[in-house]
Amino acid sequence: MAKDVIVACDFSDGKTCLEFLEQFTGRKPYVKIGMELYYAEGPQMVRKLKERGHPVFLDLKLHDIPNTVMKSMKVLSSMNVDMCNVHAAGTVPMMEAALKGLTREDGSRPLLIAVTQLTSTSEEIMKRDLLIQEPLQEVVRHYAENAKTAGLDGVVCSPLEAGFVKEHCGNDFITVTPGVRFADGEKGDQVRVTTPARARELGSDYIVVGRPVTQADDPVAAYRRCCEEFLNIG
Ligand code: C5P
């Protein structure tokens, strides 16, 4: 199965993002664009990154009625993104509609993954605000199984949950994991973190790394270190 290091390009404008990526003259990183950059720059940002040879994970976390999600996914698919996502909370019919919208006439499509519970949601908040009384880990498992039932490719989860998800959904069910830090680096606001090497041991397929690369004194060297640790390549 494909494994890769995805650089979270959490920049507020396209110019800064493109200037940042120009430093990478060798291997072109897989990049993640989130809502901030996409809402600022729109589809042209995806096109520019694709033209420059970067695989793109468009992290827009769709969650709406099935018909709306299906039509929106059709648009994202025509933009030729490589990976996109929905909230598993949108239910199995919504995820099935997303997959249908994403699938092109020739049967090809970007990877589709689901967010289970956001890492900003604690078990306490989930119980209080969402009235979900099950343990958080059980909710993550159930939502991951729903994503698999709907035909999705995998989920976003903590590297610490990657093995657990694969145990229940199969080894070929993709785990995309943020919360990655170098052993000697700053944690920032992330709490449950692992190193790229540990994420590989735990079964992550794609690690999402933001600030350890974007804020590094030498981003190219930091990216290379992620690749060495996670992919065993220089
Ligand atoms: O800078 P850092 O490495 O913490 O960036 C991690 C990226 O992954 C950010 O874009 C963040 O929004 C995203 N993310 C996360 N935790 C999740 C889902 C996404 O940190 N559960």
Side-chain angles (χ1 to χ4, degrees):
M1 188 191 298
K3 285 189 179 262
D4 215 334
V5 174
I6 302 178
V7 178
C9 288
D10 294 322
F11 300 104
S12 55
D13 68 276
K15 188 168 173 282
T16 311
C17 179
L18 293 174
E19 279 170 9
F20 167 76
L21 290 171
E22 269 162 22
Q23 303 170 81
F24 295 83
T25 51
R27 191 171 199 270
K28 299 283 178 188
Y30 205 126
V31 297
K32 177 174 95 73
I33 305 182
M35 288 185 226
E36 184 186 13
L37 188 55
Y38 187 74
Y39 291 152
E41 302 289 349
Q44 58 155 350
M45 195 65 216
V46 175
R47 282 190 210 106
K48 283 182 183 167
L49 293 171
K50 292 292 296 179
E51 274 165 25
R52 286 165 169 74
H54 297 278
V56 175
F57 168 22
L58 192 53
D59 180 19
L60 298 182
K61 303 185 179 72
L62 277 69
H63 187 178
D64 208 316
I65 60 170
N67 189 54
T68 301
V69 170
M70 181 176 75
K71 289 179 166 174
S72 307
M73 281 297 179
K74 200 165 186 171
V75 177
L76 300 190
S77 186
S78 72
M79 283 161 46
N80 215 15
V81 299
D82 296 274
M83 186 189 292
C84 53
N85 59 359
V86 292
H87 270 285
T91 74
V92 172
M94 188 207 77
M95 291 191 274
E96 287 171 344
L99 201 63
K100 190 172 169 199
L102 210 53
T103 307
R104 305 181 188 107
E105 273 180 17
D106 65 1
S108 68
R109 63 169 176 81
L111 290 174
L112 181 61
I113 57 171
V115 176
T116 53
Q117 281 292 340
L118 293 170
T119 44
S120 53
T121 307
S122 65
E123 194 163 295
E124 190 191 4
I125 292 174
M126 195 180 69
K127 284 185 178 157
R128 188 194 67 200
D129 291 1
L130 305 179
L131 293 183
I132 298 173
Q133 304 302 330
E134 305 297 322
L136 185 58
Q137 182 153 290
E138 282 306 295
V139 178
V140 169
R141 179 189 55 75
H142 184 59
Y143 282 20
E145 286 173 351
N146 282 352
K148 189 176 165 74
T149 300
L152 270 61
D153 302 296
V155 289
V156 185
C157 62
S158 155
L160 305 168
E161 289 161 358
F164 174 73
V165 166
K166 281 182 181 286
E167 230 171 77
H168 289 275
C169 297
N171 201 38
D172 55 353
F173 196 64
I174 295 172
T175 52
V176 179
T177 66
V180 174
R181 293 292 180 265
F182 293 123
D184 51 3
E186 293 285 322
K187 273 203 212 173
D189 54 357
Q190 295 280 17
V191 181
R192 298 168 71 226
V193 299
T194 51
T195 62
R198 183 77 185 122
R200 175 168 50 88
E201 286 163 17
L202 290 168
S204 295
D205 296 303
Y206 294 85
I207 51 170
V208 178
V209 191
R211 288 161 290 181
V213 172
T214 58
Q215 309 293 312
D217 291 336
D218 185 344
V220 177
Y223 171 68
R224 203 174 295 138
R225 182 174 171 193
C226 287
C227 292
E228 278 162 10
E229 284 193 28
F230 186 67
L231 303 170
N232 276 332
I233 58 168

